[in-house]
Structure formats: structure tokens, C-alpha cells
PDB file of all heavy atoms in Angstrom:
ATOM      1  N   ASP I   1     149.437 -26.147-141.291  1.00 96.00           N
ATOM      2  CA  ASP I   1     149.406 -26.034-142.734  1.00 96.00           C
ATOM      3  C   ASP I   1     150.526 -25.130-143.290  1.00 96.00           C
ATOM      4  O   ASP I   1     150.698 -24.062-142.894  1.00 96.00           O
ATOM      5  CB  ASP I   1     148.001 -25.423-143.175  1.00 96.00           C
ATOM      6  CG  ASP I   1     147.691 -25.549-144.597  1.00 96.00           C
ATOM      7  OD1 ASP I   1     148.675 -25.392-145.424  1.00 96.00           O
ATOM      8  OD2 ASP I   1     146.594 -25.792-144.940  1.00 96.00           O
ATOM      9  N   ILE I   2     151.358 -25.721-144.142  1.00 96.00           N
ATOM     10  CA  ILE I   2     152.484 -24.877-144.620  1.00 96.00           C
ATOM     11  C   ILE I   2     152.191 -23.790-145.470  1.00 96.00           C
ATOM     12  O   ILE I   2     153.103 -22.942-145.788  1.00 96.00           O
ATOM     13  CB  ILE I   2     153.633 -25.875-145.268  1.00 96.00           C
ATOM     14  CG1 ILE I   2     153.092 -26.415-146.617  1.00 96.00           C
ATOM     15  CG2 ILE I   2     154.184 -26.883-144.304  1.00 96.00           C
ATOM     16  CD1 ILE I   2     154.249 -27.017-147.457  1.00 96.00           C
ATOM     17  N   THR I   3     150.945 -23.572-145.936  1.00 96.00           N
ATOM     18  CA  THR I   3     150.601 -22.405-146.600  1.00 96.00           C
ATOM     19  C   THR I   3     150.633 -21.191-145.610  1.00 96.00           C
ATOM     20  O   THR I   3     150.584 -20.053-146.050  1.00 96.00           O
ATOM     21  CB  THR I   3     149.160 -22.455-147.224  1.00 96.00           C
ATOM     22  OG1 THR I   3     148.254 -22.615-146.210  1.00 96.00           O
ATOM     23  CG2 THR I   3     149.056 -23.683-148.199  1.00 96.00           C
ATOM     24  N   ASP I   4     150.734 -21.482-144.287  1.00 97.00           N
ATOM     25  CA  ASP I   4     150.890 -20.395-143.235  1.00 97.00           C
ATOM     26  C   ASP I   4     152.386 -20.463-142.848  1.00 97.00           C
ATOM     27  O   ASP I   4     152.894 -21.583-142.570  1.00 97.00           O
ATOM     28  CB  ASP I   4     149.956 -20.648-142.203  1.00 97.00           C
ATOM     29  CG  ASP I   4     148.510 -20.522-142.503  1.00 97.00           C
ATOM     30  OD1 ASP I   4     148.104 -19.665-143.242  1.00 97.00           O
ATOM     31  OD2 ASP I   4     147.676 -21.363-141.964  1.00 97.00           O
ATOM     32  N   PRO I   5     153.034 -19.373-142.772  1.00 96.00           N
ATOM     33  CA  PRO I   5     154.448 -19.398-142.319  1.00 96.00           C
ATOM     34  C   PRO I   5     154.628 -19.965-140.868  1.00 96.00           C
ATOM     35  O   PRO I   5     153.614 -20.009-140.080  1.00 96.00           O
ATOM     36  CB  PRO I   5     154.850 -17.875-142.310  1.00 96.00           C
ATOM     37  CG  PRO I   5     153.835 -17.216-143.181  1.00 96.00           C
ATOM     38  CD  PRO I   5     152.501 -18.024-142.966  1.00 96.00           C
ATOM     39  N   ILE I   6     155.693 -20.500-140.622  1.00 97.00           N
ATOM     40  CA  ILE I   6     156.059 -21.097-139.334  1.00 97.00           C
ATOM     41  C   ILE I   6     157.521 -20.809-139.057  1.00 97.00           C
ATOM     42  O   ILE I   6     158.334 -20.873-139.980  1.00 97.00           O
ATOM     43  CB  ILE I   6     155.765 -22.664-139.159  1.00 97.00           C
ATOM     44  CG1 ILE I   6     155.843 -23.095-137.725  1.00 97.00           C
ATOM     45  CG2 ILE I   6     156.648 -23.398-140.183  1.00 97.00           C
ATOM     46  CD1 ILE I   6     155.362 -24.466-137.474  1.00 97.00           C
ATOM     47  N   LYS I   7     157.807 -20.528-137.710  1.00 96.00           N
ATOM     48  CA  LYS I   7     159.178 -20.235-137.457  1.00 96.00           C
ATOM     49  C   LYS I   7     159.619 -21.357-136.527  1.00 96.00           C
ATOM     50  O   LYS I   7     159.210 -21.547-135.431  1.00 96.00           O
ATOM     51  CB  LYS I   7     159.292 -18.936-136.729  1.00 96.00           C
ATOM     52  CG  LYS I   7     158.943 -17.748-137.570  1.00 96.00           C
ATOM     53  CD  LYS I   7     159.237 -16.414-136.816  1.00 96.00           C
ATOM     54  CE  LYS I   7     159.036 -15.322-137.951  1.00 96.00           C
ATOM     55  NZ  LYS I   7     159.086 -13.973-137.258  1.00 96.00           N
ATOM     56  N   LEU I   8     160.705 -22.049-136.905  1.00 98.00           N
ATOM     57  CA  LEU I   8     161.362 -23.166-136.320  1.00 98.00           C
ATOM     58  C   LEU I   8     162.830 -23.041-136.493  1.00 98.00           C
ATOM     59  O   LEU I   8     163.373 -22.446-137.362  1.00 98.00           O
ATOM     60  CB  LEU I   8     160.865 -24.606-136.770  1.00 98.00           C
ATOM     61  CG  LEU I   8     159.362 -24.862-136.726  1.00 98.00           C
ATOM     62  CD1 LEU I   8     159.000 -26.063-137.548  1.00 98.00           C
ATOM     63  CD2 LEU I   8     159.005 -25.039-135.273  1.00 98.00           C
ATOM     64  N   GLU I   9     163.605 -23.749-135.552  1.00 98.00           N
ATOM     65  CA  GLU I   9     164.934 -23.779-135.760  1.00 98.00           C
ATOM     66  C   GLU I   9     165.303 -25.250-136.134  1.00 98.00           C
ATOM     67  O   GLU I   9     165.126 -26.166-135.281  1.00 98.00           O
ATOM     68  CB  GLU I   9     165.668 -23.433-134.378  1.00 98.00           C
ATOM     69  CG  GLU I   9     165.507 -22.081-133.984  1.00 98.00           C
ATOM     70  CD  GLU I   9     166.190 -20.975-134.867  1.00 98.00           C
ATOM     71  OE1 GLU I   9     167.299 -21.363-135.323  1.00 98.00           O
ATOM     72  OE2 GLU I   9     165.627 -20.015-135.058  1.00 98.00           O
ATOM     73  N   VAL I  10     165.761 -25.478-137.327  1.00 98.00           N
ATOM     74  CA  VAL I  10     166.047 -26.713-137.877  1.00 98.00           C
ATOM     75  C   VAL I  10     167.379 -26.650-138.617  1.00 98.00           C
ATOM     76  O   VAL I  10     167.830 -25.599-139.189  1.00 98.00           O
ATOM     77  CB  VAL I  10     164.935 -27.242-138.761  1.00 98.00           C
ATOM     78  CG1 VAL I  10     163.710 -27.532-137.849  1.00 98.00           C
ATOM     79  CG2 VAL I  10     164.564 -26.425-139.891  1.00 98.00           C
ATOM     80  N   ASP I  11     167.972 -27.873-138.916  1.00 98.00           N
ATOM     81  CA  ASP I  11     169.183 -27.977-139.672  1.00 98.00           C
ATOM     82  C   ASP I  11     168.911 -28.451-141.156  1.00 98.00           C
ATOM     83  O   ASP I  11     169.510 -28.092-142.033  1.00 98.00           O
ATOM     84  CB  ASP I  11     170.121 -29.001-139.107  1.00 98.00           C
ATOM     85  CG  ASP I  11     170.565 -28.558-137.632  1.00 98.00           C
ATOM     86  OD1 ASP I  11     171.021 -27.471-137.481  1.00 98.00           O
ATOM     87  OD2 ASP I  11     170.411 -29.422-136.771  1.00 98.00           O
ATOM     88  N   GLN I  12     167.811 -29.205-141.321  1.00 98.00           N
ATOM     89  CA  GLN I  12     167.461 -29.638-142.557  1.00 98.00           C
ATOM     90  C   GLN I  12     165.930 -29.672-142.765  1.00 98.00           C
ATOM     91  O   GLN I  12     165.189 -29.707-141.725  1.00 98.00           O
ATOM     92  CB  GLN I  12     167.804 -31.078-142.872  1.00 98.00           C
ATOM     93  CG  GLN I  12     169.348 -31.318-143.005  1.00 98.00           C
ATOM     94  CD  GLN I  12     169.666 -32.804-143.198  1.00 98.00           C
ATOM     95  OE1 GLN I  12     168.854 -33.651-143.235  1.00 98.00           O
ATOM     96  NE2 GLN I  12     170.991 -33.031-143.354  1.00 98.00           N
ATOM     97  N   ILE I  13     165.440 -29.444-144.043  1.00 98.00           N
ATOM     98  CA  ILE I  13     164.076 -29.514-144.293  1.00 98.00           C
ATOM     99  C   ILE I  13     163.817 -30.407-145.431  1.00 98.00           C
ATOM    100  O   ILE I  13     164.475 -30.386-146.530  1.00 98.00           O
ATOM    101  CB  ILE I  13     163.472 -28.020-144.705  1.00 98.00           C
ATOM    102  CG1 ILE I  13     163.736 -27.112-143.581  1.00 98.00           C
ATOM    103  CG2 ILE I  13     161.987 -28.153-145.103  1.00 98.00           C
ATOM    104  CD1 ILE I  13     163.477 -25.590-143.949  1.00 98.00           C
ATOM    105  N   TYR I  14     162.785 -31.367-145.260  1.00 98.00           N
ATOM    106  CA  TYR I  14     162.351 -32.164-146.338  1.00 98.00           C
ATOM    107  C   TYR I  14     160.910 -31.873-146.588  1.00 98.00           C
ATOM    108  O   TYR I  14     160.063 -32.016-145.688  1.00 98.00           O
ATOM    109  CB  TYR I  14     162.354 -33.759-145.987  1.00 98.00           C
ATOM    110  CG  TYR I  14     163.753 -34.205-145.824  1.00 98.00           C
ATOM    111  CD1 TYR I  14     164.478 -34.056-144.726  1.00 98.00           C
ATOM    112  CD2 TYR I  14     164.360 -34.913-146.883  1.00 98.00           C
ATOM    113  CE1 TYR I  14     165.803 -34.584-144.582  1.00 98.00           C
ATOM    114  CE2 TYR I  14     165.675 -35.525-146.790  1.00 98.00           C
ATOM    115  CZ  TYR I  14     166.267 -35.276-145.644  1.00 98.00           C
ATOM    116  OH  TYR I  14     167.608 -35.785-145.483  1.00 98.00           O
ATOM    117  N   ASN I  15     160.568 -31.168-147.741  1.00 97.00           N
ATOM    118  CA  ASN I  15     159.270 -30.766-148.023  1.00 97.00           C
ATOM    119  C   ASN I  15     158.487 -31.911-148.750  1.00 97.00           C
ATOM    120  O   ASN I  15     158.588 -32.014-150.022  1.00 97.00           O
ATOM    121  CB  ASN I  15     159.255 -29.511-148.821  1.00 97.00           C
ATOM    122  CG  ASN I  15     157.942 -28.868-149.083  1.00 97.00           C
ATOM    123  OD1 ASN I  15     156.894 -29.326-148.417  1.00 97.00           O
ATOM    124  ND2 ASN I  15     157.699 -28.010-150.007  1.00 97.00           N
ATOM    125  N   MET I  16     157.639 -32.658-148.087  1.00 95.00           N
ATOM    126  CA  MET I  16     156.874 -33.815-148.747  1.00 95.00           C
ATOM    127  C   MET I  16     155.432 -33.450-148.631  1.00 95.00           C
ATOM    128  O   MET I  16     154.567 -34.272-148.940  1.00 95.00           O
ATOM    129  CB  MET I  16     157.080 -34.990-147.823  1.00 95.00           C
ATOM    130  CG  MET I  16     158.511 -35.342-147.493  1.00 95.00           C
ATOM    131  SD  MET I  16     159.514 -35.659-148.865  1.00 95.00           S
ATOM    132  CE  MET I  16     159.050 -37.299-149.269  1.00 95.00           C
ATOM    133  N   ALA I  17     155.069 -32.140-148.315  1.00 94.00           N
ATOM    134  CA  ALA I  17     153.676 -31.730-148.234  1.00 94.00           C
ATOM    135  C   ALA I  17     153.062 -31.522-149.619  1.00 94.00           C
ATOM    136  O   ALA I  17     153.359 -30.700-150.319  1.00 94.00           O
ATOM    137  CB  ALA I  17     153.520 -30.572-147.333  1.00 94.00           C
ATOM    138  N   CYS I  18     152.160 -32.515-150.004  1.00 85.00           N
ATOM    139  CA  CYS I  18     151.380 -32.308-151.171  1.00 85.00           C
ATOM    140  C   CYS I  18     150.348 -33.453-151.284  1.00 85.00           C
ATOM    141  O   CYS I  18     150.685 -34.506-151.051  1.00 85.00           O
ATOM    142  CB  CYS I  18     152.219 -32.288-152.410  1.00 85.00           C
ATOM    143  SG  CYS I  18     151.303 -32.188-153.937  1.00 85.00           S
ATOM    144  N   PRO I  19     149.150 -33.090-151.597  1.00 77.00           N
ATOM    145  CA  PRO I  19     148.177 -34.256-151.908  1.00 77.00           C
ATOM    146  C   PRO I  19     148.640 -35.013-153.182  1.00 77.00           C
ATOM    147  O   PRO I  19     148.511 -34.428-154.178  1.00 77.00           O
ATOM    148  CB  PRO I  19     146.842 -33.551-152.104  1.00 77.00           C
ATOM    149  CG  PRO I  19     147.006 -32.073-151.624  1.00 77.00           C
ATOM    150  CD  PRO I  19     148.390 -31.835-151.724  1.00 77.00           C
ATOM    151  N   ALA I  20     149.218 -36.125-152.938  1.00 69.00           N
ATOM    152  CA  ALA I  20     149.871 -36.764-153.973  1.00 69.00           C
ATOM    153  C   ALA I  20     149.077 -37.804-154.832  1.00 69.00           C
ATOM    154  O   ALA I  20     149.508 -38.450-155.669  1.00 69.00           O
ATOM    155  CB  ALA I  20     151.012 -37.519-153.429  1.00 69.00           C
ATOM    156  N   SER I  21     147.729 -37.904-154.498  1.00 70.00           N
ATOM    157  CA  SER I  21     146.861 -38.736-155.304  1.00 70.00           C
ATOM    158  C   SER I  21     145.909 -37.929-156.149  1.00 70.00           C
ATOM    159  O   SER I  21     145.408 -36.968-155.641  1.00 70.00           O
ATOM    160  CB  SER I  21     146.109 -39.615-154.290  1.00 70.00           C
ATOM    161  OG  SER I  21     144.909 -40.089-154.858  1.00 70.00           O
ATOM    162  N   PRO I  22     145.731 -38.317-157.312  1.00 72.00           N
ATOM    163  CA  PRO I  22     144.746 -37.569-158.203  1.00 72.00           C
ATOM    164  C   PRO I  22     143.352 -37.423-157.474  1.00 72.00           C
ATOM    165  O   PRO I  22     142.686 -36.276-157.641  1.00 72.00           O
ATOM    166  CB  PRO I  22     144.565 -38.414-159.414  1.00 72.00           C
ATOM    167  CG  PRO I  22     145.778 -39.250-159.530  1.00 72.00           C
ATOM    168  CD  PRO I  22     146.316 -39.413-158.098  1.00 72.00           C
ATOM    169  N   ILE I  23     142.880 -38.372-156.757  1.00 74.00           N
ATOM    170  CA  ILE I  23     141.617 -38.174-156.077  1.00 74.00           C
ATOM    171  C   ILE I  23     141.654 -36.915-155.121  1.00 74.00           C
ATOM    172  O   ILE I  23     140.711 -36.150-155.044  1.00 74.00           O
ATOM    173  CB  ILE I  23     141.281 -39.370-155.182  1.00 74.00           C
ATOM    174  CG1 ILE I  23     141.040 -40.634-156.149  1.00 74.00           C
ATOM    175  CG2 ILE I  23     140.183 -39.238-154.211  1.00 74.00           C
ATOM    176  CD1 ILE I  23     140.842 -41.933-155.552  1.00 74.00           C
ATOM    177  N   HIS I  24     142.757 -36.766-154.494  1.00 65.00           N
ATOM    178  CA  HIS I  24     142.937 -35.650-153.416  1.00 65.00           C
ATOM    179  C   HIS I  24     143.236 -34.419-154.081  1.00 65.00           C
ATOM    180  O   HIS I  24     142.508 -33.327-153.845  1.00 65.00           O
ATOM    181  CB  HIS I  24     143.999 -35.999-152.422  1.00 65.00           C
ATOM    182  CG  HIS I  24     143.681 -37.064-151.573  1.00 65.00           C
ATOM    183  ND1 HIS I  24     144.302 -38.221-151.511  1.00 65.00           N
ATOM    184  CD2 HIS I  24     142.727 -37.192-150.518  1.00 65.00           C
ATOM    185  CE1 HIS I  24     143.857 -39.072-150.488  1.00 65.00           C
ATOM    186  NE2 HIS I  24     142.761 -38.436-149.940  1.00 65.00           N
ATOM    187  N   TYR I  25     144.183 -34.326-155.034  1.00 67.00           N
ATOM    188  CA  TYR I  25     144.478 -32.999-155.592  1.00 67.00           C
ATOM    189  C   TYR I  25     143.437 -32.539-156.660  1.00 67.00           C
ATOM    190  O   TYR I  25     143.218 -31.326-156.756  1.00 67.00           O
ATOM    191  CB  TYR I  25     145.904 -32.998-156.114  1.00 67.00           C
ATOM    192  CG  TYR I  25     146.295 -33.788-157.312  1.00 67.00           C
ATOM    193  CD1 TYR I  25     145.872 -33.646-158.593  1.00 67.00           C
ATOM    194  CD2 TYR I  25     147.334 -34.905-157.170  1.00 67.00           C
ATOM    195  CE1 TYR I  25     146.262 -34.330-159.636  1.00 67.00           C
ATOM    196  CE2 TYR I  25     147.666 -35.494-158.246  1.00 67.00           C
ATOM    197  CZ  TYR I  25     147.178 -35.394-159.487  1.00 67.00           C
ATOM    198  OH  TYR I  25     147.535 -36.117-160.485  1.00 67.00           O
ATOM    199  N   GLN I  26     142.687 -33.286-157.264  1.00 73.00           N
ATOM    200  CA  GLN I  26     141.626 -32.919-158.103  1.00 73.00           C
ATOM    201  C   GLN I  26     140.346 -32.530-157.352  1.00 73.00           C
ATOM    202  O   GLN I  26     139.639 -31.702-157.807  1.00 73.00           O
ATOM    203  CB  GLN I  26     141.177 -34.106-159.122  1.00 73.00           C
ATOM    204  CG  GLN I  26     142.319 -34.388-160.209  1.00 73.00           C
ATOM    205  CD  GLN I  26     142.007 -35.505-161.005  1.00 73.00           C
ATOM    206  OE1 GLN I  26     141.113 -36.293-160.794  1.00 73.00           O
ATOM    207  NE2 GLN I  26     142.773 -35.682-162.085  1.00 73.00           N
ATOM    208  N   SER I  27     140.211 -33.084-156.174  1.00 77.00           N
ATOM    209  CA  SER I  27     139.055 -32.617-155.330  1.00 77.00           C
ATOM    210  C   SER I  27     139.150 -31.193-154.857  1.00 77.00           C
ATOM    211  O   SER I  27     138.112 -30.468-154.573  1.00 77.00           O
ATOM    212  CB  SER I  27     138.782 -33.559-154.103  1.00 77.00           C
ATOM    213  OG  SER I  27     139.804 -33.428-153.199  1.00 77.00           O
TER     214      SER I  27
END
């Protein structure tokens, strides 16, 4: 869960984490 920090070695980050449907984010 990205609400908890994580340590990784990466070159790029794409942040796609989000409940993207009204059913999910409203719940």
C-alpha cells in the first residue's frame, strides 16, 4: 500500500494508484 513508505531503486515511477471508480472511492 503506497500510503506506507517503500524503499526501492528505480529509474522511473508511474503513480497509477487510486480507486478510479465512483463505486470504489465513495465506499
